[in-house]
Amino acid sequence: MIFSGTRPDNLGVNNGKLAACPKSPNCVSSQSPSSDETHFIQPLKYTSTTEKALNDLKNVIQSENKTKIINESSDYLYAEFKSALMGYVDDVEFYLDSSTNTIHVRSASRLGQSDLGVNRKRIETIRTKFNQMQGS
């Protein structure tokens, strides 16, 4: 628990936006400008109902090791992912925009500078599993 850090107080959706990534390279977000190669990642897309998409997303997250869903609503999901080795905690958020069938994502490390690509890799793993559940 020594490396878990403190839960940020800027999480959640504000006017349709997740919090911006800090300048450090240990965060990815689908709402970062696409010109920001360090932080930008494609959002997830869904073809089902928003309810099914949220349920599929929850199943994917719960299938991952050392995860805990902290907060959830009809269009938002926030989970903590803990690293196996040192117990570092990453805050991972998903905002479902039903008007565009898009799931915006933000995955950020609480501590340190570099994450060695862990946050980006996590979102791509979630994307692959989610797409399989969506049947696309």
Side-chain angles (χ1 to χ4, degrees):
M1 288 300 278
I2 193 164
F3 295 110
S4 62
T6 306
R7 186 174 294 152
D9 58 10
N10 65 337
L11 300 179
V13 180
N14 192 349
N15 293 326
K17 298 280 184 197
L18 298 169
C21 279
K23 293 200 181 330
S24 55
N26 59 359
C27 174
V28 295
S29 171
S30 63
Q31 292 181 324
S32 289
S34 58
S35 59
D36 180 355
E37 293 177 14
T38 302
H39 299 113
F40 178 74
I41 193 164
Q42 289 290 334
L44 282 66
K45 291 288 198 174
Y46 61 95
T47 53
S48 65
T49 63
T50 303
E51 293 77 18
K52 180 180 182 330
L54 184 64
N55 199 46
D56 287 350
L57 191 56
K58 275 174 54 178
N59 287 332
V60 169
I61 291 167
Q62 290 167 335
S63 75
E64 296 289 309
N65 289 330
K66 298 189 176 287
T67 64
K68 182 175 169 188
I69 293 175
I70 304 297
N71 192 351
E72 118 183 45
S73 68
S74 60
D75 66 354
Y76 175 78
L77 198 66
Y78 162 48
E80 292 177 343
F81 286 70
K82 191 177 290 189
S83 70
L85 193 57
M86 302 289 281
Y88 286 103
V89 175
D90 295 338
D91 298 291
V92 186
E93 297 179 280
F94 302 90
Y95 166 55
L96 288 80
D97 180 351
S98 59
S99 67
T100 59
N101 283 23
T102 300
I103 302 174
H104 285 290
V105 298
R106 180 181 186 273
S107 184
S109 303
R110 283 189 189 166
L111 300 174
Q113 276 289 319
S114 175
D115 64 355
L116 305 174
V118 167
N119 284 293
R120 183 172 301 278
K121 185 172 183 248
R122 172 184 303 117
I123 296 302
E124 293 305 338
T125 299
I126 289 170
R127 180 192 318 278
T128 299
K129 292 180 177 181
F130 177 78
N131 286 347
Q132 287 169 345
M133 293 185 89
Q134 285 281 299
S136 60

